Amino acid sequence: MVTLTKAEEKIMKLLWELKKGFIKDIIEKMPDPKPPYNSVSTIVRVLVKKEIVGFNKYGGTYEYYPLISKDEYRKSQLGSLVKGYFNNSLSQVVNFFSENKNLKIDEVNEAIKMLEELKKQQNG
């Protein structure tokens, strides 16, 4: 899976939200000041080349849609982050977050619950 630039990621977030749309639909969802049509169109064409966005052609207009889900992309990016920065080690990730004093106890308890569930699943 490829990594997206910040601009590409912004467009993808909008396409995931829209499910499908024309360039004008994407621009409408963007905050002011809105970028030029050609800029958004160029980024979308790059996403098509990267095979992350597909399209339907209606005469001279194109309707675009995501070829990957937000969840697929998120998993891929998180996996790359853990592999690249934490030596593919869950304990290093947990240690990194445990050093963050802003963790809420509810979040810690939820993480513990999730890890306990994972342990049960793996032990069968």
Side-chain angles (χ1 to χ4, degrees), residues 2 42-55:
V2 297
T42 298
I43 294 168
V44 171
R45 283 195 309 270
V46 168
L47 292 168
V48 168
K49 284 182 185 173
K50 289 183 175 185
E51 299 181 349
I52 293 176
V53 169
F55 62 89

Side-chain angles (χ1 to χ4, degrees), residues 93-111:
V93 173
V94 171
N95 183 52
F96 173 81
F97 283 106
S98 71
E99 291 173 355
N100 180 348
K101 305 295 184 222
N102 295 328
L103 288 176
K104 295 180 177 96
I105 193 68
D106 291 345
E107 291 175 330
V108 172
N109 288 336
E110 183 66 22

Side-chain angles (χ1 to χ4, degrees), residues 1-108:
M1 175 97 39
V2 297
T3 299
L4 303 176
T5 66
K6 288 188 185 295
E8 292 167 348
E9 214 169 83
K10 285 179 186 177
I11 301 272
M12 282 307 299
K13 285 179 182 178
L14 295 171
L15 268 177
W16 285 320
E17 185 180 323
L18 289 165
K19 307 273 191 279
K20 60 182 178 177
F22 300 92
I23 299 295
K24 67 176 184 59
D25 299 324
I26 296 169
I27 293 171
E28 281 177 19
K29 287 278 197 186
M30 297 176 131
D32 290 326
K34 307 231 185 262
Y37 182 97
N38 287 344
S39 298
V40 175
S41 179
T42 298
I43 294 168
V44 171
R45 283 195 309 270
V46 168
L47 292 168
V48 168
K49 284 182 185 173
K50 289 183 175 185
E51 299 181 349
I52 293 176
V53 169
F55 62 89
N56 294 313
K57 185 176 181 182
Y58 302 102
T61 61
Y62 295 84
E63 181 181 48
Y64 299 96
Y65 55 89
L67 292 174
I68 62 166
S69 71
K70 186 176 184 178
D71 196 46
E72 287 172 305
Y73 182 71
R74 182 174 40 198
K75 285 178 185 175
S76 165
Q77 293 308 297
L78 186 56
S80 294
L81 181 71
V82 171
K83 184 177 180 184
Y85 288 94
F86 298 101
N87 217 17
N88 228 12
S89 166
L90 179 59
S91 61
Q92 286 185 22
V93 173
V94 171
N95 183 52
F96 173 81
F97 283 106
S98 71
E99 291 173 355
N100 180 348
K101 305 295 184 222
N102 295 328
L103 288 176
K104 295 180 177 96
I105 193 68
D106 291 345
E107 291 175 330
V108 172

